[in-house]
Amino acid sequence: MVAGLWWSARVARQQASVARDSMLSLLHRASDGPPSAPLLLTLARVKLNVEAAPSEALAAIERAYALAPGDPDILAERVACLLFNVRMAESITAAQGAWPLLREPAAQVNVAVLAWAAARLIDDEKTAAHWAEQALTAYIALPPGDSALNLH
């Protein structure tokens, strides 16, 4: 019984690894063509969250930002990419620029928490307090049961 469970888990891990590699291969091949903002956003998310390659994620999100500077998803992801590249002041500035365009409370919480973290890391207590208040206000506005938070 235990051997069967072990083997099933091993096979599942292998299949997940093959699927991940296949998805990444397709994504990289697609990114060689004419860039589109949604594709570059997805590439940035994969680079940041799956491959743990923040500098590559930032390069992809900056290309996406150049194509769609008003896209709230790109703006929010840009805040994270800047933070994970240890560009704290730029991350806070990006959050300030993104904030008026964010309509979903979950996106607002995400961006506010990232900006709060950046401010805390550079010991800017006033800015940290501002973003903590924004995060709390947005969190309170979340619909009951919302689990859409993406707190990198």
Side-chain angles (χ1 to χ4, degrees):
M1 176 79 168
V2 172
L5 291 174
W6 174 82
W7 183 256
S8 295
R10 181 171 180 243
V11 169
R13 280 192 305 275
Q14 287 174 337
Q15 289 174 337
S17 178
V18 167
R20 177 185 167 274
D21 291 346
S22 177
M23 188 259 321
L24 289 174
S25 175
L26 289 170
L27 190 56
H28 287 293
R29 274 188 275 148
S31 68
D32 290 338
S36 73
L39 176 65
L40 290 166
L41 172 61
T42 302
L43 181 61
R45 287 177 172 163
V46 168
K47 292 292 184 184
L48 188 63
N49 300 310
V50 177
E51 294 182 355
S55 62
E56 293 176 34
L58 182 58
I61 205 64
E62 291 295 359
R63 287 176 63 201
Y65 178 68
L67 293 170
D71 183 304
D73 292 331
I74 290 171
L75 293 170
E77 195 65 26
R78 188 167 178 261
V79 173
C81 288
L82 288 164
L83 175 71
F84 281 91
N85 276 278
V86 196
R87 292 167 62 174
M88 305 308 166
E90 290 174 80
S91 182
I92 294 166
T93 300
Q96 291 166 338
W99 191 258
L101 300 173
L102 301 174
R103 299 288 174 239
E104 298 296 322
Q108 291 174 338
V109 171
N110 188 32
V111 166
V113 168
L114 292 169
W116 169 83
R120 294 283 300 159
L121 288 167
I122 59 173
D123 294 323
D124 183 341
E125 295 301 321
K126 182 178 177 185
T127 302
H130 166 76
W131 285 109
E133 185 178 319
Q134 295 290 72
L136 181 59
T137 301
Y139 183 79
I140 291 168
L142 284 171
D146 189 339
S147 62
L149 293 181
N150 180 22
L151 299 175
H152 294 316

